[in-house]
């Protein structure tokens, strides 16, 4: 059955799992990956438990406590509608991680498919990569803003705009690895044995293109979190009163003099997620992709 | 060399074609009826028809595209709905502010990035190195528009050293211009400063391990010469390639920072146009900014081959 290429037999599967576990343990020995993992992991935990740990409903107005300074009840104060900043930031973090995750998955899948096809199928390479070059010729943030503005403000559209913006570079990275691996003697050997294209791509080429892709994905994740905040700050992301971190900062901007906590708190949340991801990314680059160690 | 420059310029043609096509297609992404989006909810049927007619929205797509390209080749990107002037004029008027902000922050980022990178590399693995690298990592993890607000809060609101926003044209008052651009440029430079510092550090460390550096040291050259004349020169080569990519990031970032600091650049023009659904301005701003980016990249490529002739021979 040709299906054996896609779905490994149980015994092979267990071996693959064991191998993956071994590699994961190897990675965890790396200090940056552990430090970044703890930092980013705590942010993820906060996002998952948002409903349990947020002290207030993020959209509940309290007109007796408008722009209240931080105190025991509202540790990070309240905004112009008396909404609790801590609760809004916790829910905003959840939203920003959600958008980041959507973009990472969509970019990863699209980038891998486009990168593999252009790297493997010669006649596709020219035309498809010209389109990717064209997309990369836009300043990234600007393209994302224009796309999100045209699509209309929503969570899904923000994720879509960022996916279109970040896919070309990811495709280029995958294509680069595929072009190198394609010329290896073991691919020739596999072809000589009569292996079908699907098997060659899935079993031989993709696993070797994976390390740089994983490094790129941590980068896309952190950049997406930053870019989602930019989109909402500019008013083309998820519309208010959605507690997105960029929205909270945009709303707090008008009150920067009398209530700086509104605009300043969400930025710390963004910085923590991005810092965690960047530290993980540095560690992954060190251990997975020695060629890039100097970048 | 001339052939290289020519081939590089020719390679920009397909890229610019895709750029213009994407810009054209962005209008097509707008959900629903574009005319009623532009005119607002209580527009009459005549108004809608007038808009459709003016924008050729009732014509087939290929015809719209042909008209778009025919006008584009004549340097015409259409008329703004609201500003009552041509898109090209409106964007070109705002472009200098965006470009000077980008250039200023690029200079700052390179200057401080290189200094920090060298300091870090020469203090390899001691606390100075670690502090600098932690700072660099933190710098590239902060959202720049938020960092802009932090700077406004401390340096404009609390200390009153700089204006909280607004723009003074260079021709009116150079000192005032510098004061109005200082915080925005520092904000924008922060992220890229971190990137450059990290790159220069690893480049320097690699060069300092090379044989020619050992030879230079062995023949008794002063440390200053070894570091700056030999190692740094080679460590800077990869930084130059990065300038192209960085210009793109900074141009995009400038758009956002202009909004934070109320600078009258292309960014604020585009954001205002988005709020008013003035799509030709959005398209024009996007297209012209991307064109600037494409040509900066070509200039950087050419500069790179001048500095490092090895690249030319590879081709």
């Amino acid at each position: 059955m040709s299906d054996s290429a896609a779905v490994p037999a149980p015994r092979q599967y267990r071996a693959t799992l064991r191998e993956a576990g071994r590699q994961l343990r190897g990675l965890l020995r790396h200090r940056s990956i552990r430090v970044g993992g703890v930092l980013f992991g705590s942010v993820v935990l906060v996002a998952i438990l948002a409903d349990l740990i947020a002290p207030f409903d993020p959209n509940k107005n309290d007109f007796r406590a408008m722009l209240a300074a931080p105190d025991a009840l509202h540790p990070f104060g309240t905004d112009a509608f008396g909404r609790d900043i801590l609760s809004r930031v916790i829910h905003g973090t959840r939203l920003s991680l959600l958008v980041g995750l959507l973009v990472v998955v969509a970019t990863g899948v699209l980038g891998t498919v486009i990168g593999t096809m252009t790297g493997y199928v010669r006649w596709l390479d020219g035309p498809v990569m010209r389109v990717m070059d064209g997309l990369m010729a836009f300043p990234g943030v600007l393209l994302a803003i224009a796309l999100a503005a045209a699509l209309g403000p929503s969570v899904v559209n923000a994720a879509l705009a960022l996916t279109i913006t970040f896919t070309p570079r990811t495709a280029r990275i995958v294509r680069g690895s595929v072009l190198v691996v394609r010329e290896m003697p073991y691919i020739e050997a596999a072809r000589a044995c009569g292996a079908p294209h699907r098997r060659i791509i899935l079993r031989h080429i993709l696993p070797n293109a994976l390390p740089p892709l994983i490094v790129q994905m941590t980068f896309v994740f952190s950049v997406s979190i930053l870019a989602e905040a930019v989109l909402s700050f500019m008013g083309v992301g998820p519309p208010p009163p959605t507690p997105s971190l960029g929205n909270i900062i945009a709303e707090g901007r008008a009150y920067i003099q009398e209530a700086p906590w509104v605009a300043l708190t969400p930025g710390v949340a963004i910085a923590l997620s991005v810092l965690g991801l960047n530290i993980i990314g540095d560690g992954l680059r060190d251990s997975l992709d020695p060629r890039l160690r100097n970048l | 060399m001339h052939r290289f420059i020519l081939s590089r310029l020719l390679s920009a043609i397909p890229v610019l074609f895709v750029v213009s096509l994407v810009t054209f297609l962005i209008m097509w992404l707008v959900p629903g009826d574009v005319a009623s989006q532009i005119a607002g909810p209580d527009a009459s049927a005549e108004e809608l028809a007038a808009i459709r007619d003016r924008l050729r929205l009732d014509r087939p797509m290929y015809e719209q595209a042909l008209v778009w390209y025919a006008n584009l080749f004549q340097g015409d990107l259409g008329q703004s709905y609201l500003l009552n002037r041509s898109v090209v004029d409106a964007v070109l008027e705002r472009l200098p502010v965006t470009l000077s902000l980008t250039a200023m922050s690029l200079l700052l980022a390179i200057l401080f990035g290189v200094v920090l990178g060298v300091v870090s590399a020469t203090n390899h693995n001691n606390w100075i190195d670690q502090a600098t690298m932690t700072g660099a990592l933190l710098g590239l993890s902060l959202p720049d528009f938020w960092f802009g607000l932090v700077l406004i809060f401390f340096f404009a609101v609390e200390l009153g050293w700089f204006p909280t926003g607004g723009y003074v044209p260079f021709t009116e008052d150079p000192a005032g211009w510098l004061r109005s651009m200082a915080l925005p440029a520092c904000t924008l430079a922060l992220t890229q400063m971190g990137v450059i510092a990290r790159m220069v550090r690893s480049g320097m460390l690699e060069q300092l391990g090379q044989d020619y550096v050992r030879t230079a040291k062995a023949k008794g050259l002063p440390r200053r010469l070894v570091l700056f004349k030999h190692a740094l020169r080679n460590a800077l080569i990869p930084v130059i390639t990065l300038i192209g990519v960085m210009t793109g990031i900074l141009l995009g970032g400038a758009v956002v920072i202009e909004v934070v600091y109320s600078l009258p650049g292309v960014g604020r023009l585009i954001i205002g146009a988005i709020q008013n659904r003035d799509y030709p301005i959005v398209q024009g701003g996007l297209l012209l900014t991307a064109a600037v980016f494409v040509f900066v990249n070509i200039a950087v490529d050419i500069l790179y081959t001048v500095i490092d002739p090895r690249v030319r021979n590879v081709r």
Side-chain angles (χ1 to χ4, degrees):
Chain A
M1 275 294 276
S2 61
D3 272 344
S4 65
V7 185
R11 231 172 79 200
Q12 269 177 307
Y13 189 61
R14 270 203 298 278
T16 316
L17 264 188
R18 253 206 310 281
E19 172 68 9
R22 200 181 56 77
Q23 282 182 351
L24 195 65
R25 272 197 300 280
L27 285 180
L28 285 177
R29 254 181 245 125
H30 204 283
R31 196 171 126 239
S32 325
I33 296 180
R34 280 209 309 265
V35 173
V38 169
L39 189 57
F40 186 63
S42 359
V43 178
V44 171
L45 205 62
V46 167
I48 293 174
L49 300 176
D51 291 325
L52 295 174
I53 54 177
F56 293 92
D57 176 340
N59 285 325
K60 196 185 120 231
N61 299 339
D62 179 356
F63 293 108
R64 285 161 308 172
M66 290 186 294
L67 297 176
D71 59 18
L73 187 61
H74 302 287
F76 293 106
T78 62
D79 67 8
F81 298 99
R83 295 175 295 196
D84 180 52
I85 294 297
L86 175 64
S87 308
R88 285 183 72 72
V89 168
I90 290 175
H91 281 273
T93 305
R94 168 189 273 186
L95 186 74
S96 101
L97 291 186
L98 183 72
V99 172
L101 190 67
L102 280 174
V103 177
V104 164
V105 172
T107 308
V109 171
L110 274 176
T112 306
V113 170
I114 297 174
T116 314
M117 294 317 280
T118 50
Y120 198 76
V121 187
R122 275 167 201 265
W123 63 267
L124 268 177
D125 194 28
V128 176
M129 285 325 281
R130 287 297 81 72
V131 174
M132 296 293 128
D133 285 346
L135 283 172
M136 281 196 283
F138 289 100
V141 176
L142 197 54
L143 179 64
I145 291 175
L147 286 171
L151 290 164
S154 83
V155 176
V156 175
N157 286 347
L160 187 60
L162 295 177
T163 303
I164 297 174
T165 309
F166 297 138
T167 295
R169 188 144 285 134
T170 308
R172 189 159 267 280
I173 287 170
V174 174
R175 170 179 171 271
S177 328
V178 172
L179 283 179
V180 173
V181 177
R182 193 179 69 178
E183 304 302 326
M184 296 283 176
Y186 65 83
I187 300 295
E188 205 182 326
R191 201 166 287 150
C193 293
H197 288 304
R198 195 174 65 162
R199 187 182 168 84
I200 292 178
I201 290 174
L202 289 177
R203 294 297 297 263
H204 300 291
I205 290 185
L206 276 186
N208 285 294
L210 212 53
L213 180 68
I214 292 174
V215 175
Q216 168 72 3
M217 287 298 96
T218 58
F219 173 73
V220 168
F221 206 147
S222 66
V223 178
S224 303
I225 290 174
L226 287 170
E228 185 274 324
V230 169
L231 293 184
S232 1
F233 179 74
M234 303 294 263
V236 293
T242 314
S244 108
L245 296 172
N247 283 344
I248 308 173
I249 298 177
E251 286 154 13
R253 196 181 152 218
Y255 309 101
I256 189 87
Q257 306 208 11
E258 59 265 46
W261 49 86
V262 182
L264 300 191
T265 317
V268 178
I270 301 173
L272 286 179
S273 327
V274 175
L275 187 63
L277 279 168
N278 281 345
I279 298 176
I280 297 177
D282 279 358
L284 284 175
R285 182 152 56 196
D286 269 5
S287 46
L288 289 179
D289 201 355
R291 280 171 305 154
L292 295 172
R293 202 164 282 175
N294 288 322
L295 277 176
Chain B
M1 191 62 196
H2 287 113
R3 273 184 67 173
F4 173 73
I5 295 176
L6 191 70
S7 77
R8 228 16 223 96
L9 283 172
L10 287 177
S11 73
I13 293 173
V15 173
L16 286 173
F17 173 71
V18 176
V19 165
S20 55
L21 194 62
V22 170
T23 316
F24 167 74
L25 289 175
I26 276 181
M27 272 286 258
W28 173 76
L29 281 179
V30 178
D33 180 19
V34 178
S36 59
Q37 294 241 11
I38 293 165
D42 31 52
S44 67
E46 291 83 52
E47 280 174 316
L48 289 180
I51 291 174
R52 280 198 199 101
D53 188 50
R54 190 159 48 117
L55 296 176
R56 297 186 182 78
L57 293 173
D58 42 2
R59 303 295 171 77
M61 179 98 142
Y62 73 89
E63 198 183 315
Q64 291 182 39
L66 282 179
V67 173
W68 159 259
Y69 276 106
N71 289 337
L72 190 63
F73 280 116
Q74 296 168 40
D76 177 9
L77 289 172
Q79 287 282 322
S80 157
Y81 306 149
L82 280 149
L83 305 172
N84 209 10
R85 60 191 299 198
S86 86
V87 171
V88 175
D89 286 349
V91 175
L92 287 185
E93 183 189 277
R94 304 291 198 100
L95 207 53
V97 178
T98 307
L99 292 185
S100 54
L101 177 60
T102 306
M104 245 172 114
S105 53
L106 187 64
L107 276 178
L108 279 177
I110 294 175
L111 192 68
F112 287 100
V114 169
V115 170
L116 290 176
V118 171
V119 167
S120 210
T122 47
N123 289 287
H124 189 40
N125 277 343
N126 71 13
W127 69 269
I128 299 177
D129 180 24
Q130 279 169 5
T132 318
M133 282 305 111
T134 311
L137 188 63
L138 197 63
L140 58 96
S141 303
L142 294 180
D144 49 7
F145 68 98
W146 172 81
F147 186 68
L149 289 174
V150 174
L151 289 187
I152 290 179
F153 178 66
F154 283 108
F155 292 103
V157 176
E158 294 288 303
L159 296 169
W161 292 354
F162 295 96
T164 54
Y167 181 70
V168 181
F170 183 77
T171 45
E172 269 174 34
D173 173 12
W177 174 80
L178 201 61
R179 260 165 58 91
S180 69
M181 295 289 272
L183 286 186
C186 288
T187 307
L188 200 50
L190 175 85
T191 327
Q192 301 312 310
M193 199 188 301
V195 176
I196 295 179
R198 282 155 57 105
M199 246 190 125
V200 170
R201 174 182 177 269
S202 61
M204 279 294 272
L205 288 177
E206 197 189 318
Q207 295 301 329
L208 291 176
Q210 301 277 320
D211 287 345
Y212 76 91
V213 169
R214 197 183 52 199
T215 311
K217 276 185 194 157
K219 71 177 184 183
L221 271 189
R223 186 175 144 82
R224 185 173 43 87
L225 272 184
V226 177
L227 279 182
F228 294 106
K229 195 172 169 202
H230 294 276
L232 183 60
R233 275 196 177 188
N234 284 305
L236 282 184
I237 291 176
V239 176
I240 292 167
T241 41
L242 213 62
I243 290 176
V245 181
M246 268 180 193
T247 311
I249 298 174
L250 290 173
L251 271 173
V255 164
V256 183
I257 297 303
E258 281 165 17
V259 174
V260 174
Y261 286 96
S262 318
L263 296 175
V266 181
R268 264 186 69 206
L269 183 73
I270 292 179
I271 294 304
I274 286 174
Q275 280 155 3
N276 295 312
R277 308 203 174 281
D278 192 355
Y279 294 111
I281 288 278
V282 180
Q283 288 179 311
L286 189 64
L287 186 65
L288 288 174
T289 318
V292 169
F293 182 31
V294 168
F295 286 108
V296 167
N297 264 320
I298 294 175
V300 168
D301 271 8
I302 293 170
L303 183 71
Y304 192 57
T305 51
V306 171
I307 294 172
D308 191 353
R310 281 174 303 179
V311 186
R312 230 178 310 163
N313 300 336
V314 173
R315 277 159 203 272

